[in-house]
Amino acid sequence: MKISIRRRLTFSFLLTVILSIVTAGLISNYMIDGRFNQYLKQTHENKIQKVVKIAEELYDSSEGFEGIDPFEMKRYAVLEDIYIEIQDADGSIAFSSGQGHLVHKKRMGNMMGHMMGRRMMERIGEYIEEKHPLYHNNSKIGTIHIGYYGDWNLSEGDVGFKNTLNRAFGLSVGIALLFGFIISIILSRQMTTPLVKIIKAANEMKNGNLGIRAEVPTSTLEIEQLANSIDYLAETLQQQEMIRKRLTSDMAHEIRTPLTTLQSHIEAMMDGIWDPTTERFKSCHEEVLRLKKMVDSLQDLAKLEQSGQQVNKSTFDLSLLLDRIVESFQVQAQKKNIRMLSHIAPNFTVHMDPDKLKQIMYNLLSNAYKYSDENSSIEVALTHDKNNIILTVRDEGAGIEVKDLPYIFERFYRGDISRSRETGGAGIGLAIVRGLVEAHNGKITVESVKGKGSCFRIYFPIEMLVSKKES
């Protein structure tokens, strides 16, 4: 049987409070009760010794116990709730207080026992009588019998105090348990209410509402992190859903256009409207190549994912590799009179995958060329700081809209649809670049201003730099 986390937390907190309070209460009660009993025992023993001493002081060498004032001794016995009987050396009773007052105490104890419970009757106890010898000048002069009820002749005040103490402990435990129960409910509610909201948001996401957000005000760090993770997941899924829908529309359009062109050309030639000339076959061939280019791009991305972005590292001169790439783009750049600027620090020997570095650079430079106007410039730079090798590709092209910047590295995302159709891109080039960079434990960032150009920076760990010799 499944139970809610709120009930589980409430029961757990309450059980912990109960065990703690009961344990502390029992230990405290045991220690205080034991200490109080020790005090009562010592007080009783002192009382007995005092009675013995009084009896010895009442003895007179000439008169014996004849001089005892019966009234004073009886009053003392009643006051102390004890029976006193003094016998001389011959065994004759010199004084007896009688037990009438003790019988009265017993009756009162029984009555209070019926009113306050069995524990009060147990406190009164059974009748006990002690016998102590009496001495005068180290000679035995007689015997004193001292009788009382209970182990230590507890008075009604003593019994009442002990009962009050026990009731106080019981009341304290009860109040503490009540507070513990209330606090456990409050704490469990504070912890579970945000979780319930997060679960509700997750269920909304499961049902397709990706616009939901787990807005959970909480002071608990872990719950806040969980809520932020749910929000990030919802936002990411929402973005992916948007990209997926856009991809479906874009790919349908991209595939439909060349297929429609091929269909109309072939049907025209089949119906005899057009003659199958070389130019018309060439036009059909261009459309086929356009379709093949899109398929090849998809295959490149699939291969990248299937290979797990594995890299085959080797040691080579990164500066020399970049110089060659820039030089190879010079011819293409001249078609639009674009200046290729190189700020590449020399003699960077690195341990990386040269083929994937070429693929990264060709993708970035191809994008820079496609979206750059005539008579502009493209810059390639290589430098480093204490933590990273920094590779920069900057252009003065059309730039990227601010709203598109967070998504440009997502597969199949294309910001300007009309421009992308003109250039024929499928929207996966930058996704491949990011995958290759991350395969080298690096990261890529972009800064762009619409109409002024873009700047891509790649950061590779400095550990990949084998050496750098200044020329």
Side-chain angles (χ1 to χ4, degrees), residues 196-216:
V196 171
K197 292 182 179 180
I198 293 174
I199 293 172
K200 183 178 179 180
N203 288 330
E204 288 287 331
M205 291 168 54
K206 181 181 69 174
N207 294 329
N209 182 12
L210 299 179
I212 192 71
R213 295 294 181 269
E215 298 177 353
V216 179

Side-chain angles (χ1 to χ4, degrees), residues 356-372:
K356 290 185 171 53
L357 256 295
K358 290 179 183 178
Q359 190 174 359
I360 291 171
M361 290 303 300
Y362 280 126
N363 274 318
L364 292 178
L365 290 174
S366 295
N367 281 345
Y369 174 79
K370 288 176 184 177
Y371 304 126
S372 291

Side-chain angles (χ1 to χ4, degrees), residues 28 88 180 229 281 364:
S28 300
D88 58 19
S229 298
F281 278 122
L364 292 178

Side-chain angles (χ1 to χ4, degrees), residues 153-170:
N153 188 29
L154 298 181
S155 66
E156 294 179 7
D158 294 333
V159 175
F161 179 79
K162 295 200 72 174
N163 288 334
T164 302
L165 185 64
N166 291 330
R167 286 197 301 271
F169 271 112

Side-chain angles (χ1 to χ4, degrees), residues 419-451:
R419 188 185 71 182
S420 297
R421 286 170 181 167
E422 292 171 0
T423 57
I428 63 174
L430 290 178
I432 293 175
V433 168
R434 184 179 65 175
L436 294 174
V437 170
E438 291 177 351
H440 285 82
N441 297 320
K443 68 176 182 178
I444 182 170
T445 63
V446 60
E447 298 173 2
S448 185
V449 178
K450 184 66 176 177

Side-chain angles (χ1 to χ4, degrees), residues 49 52-53 55-56 65 87 130-136 139-145:
Q49 293 299 321
V52 172
K53 186 176 181 182
E56 290 176 342
F65 292 107
Q87 298 177 358
E130 299 182 19
K131 183 173 67 173
H132 297 272
L134 299 175
Y135 293 93
H136 181 74
S139 298
K140 185 176 181 180
I141 57 175
T143 306
I144 184 170
H145 294 257

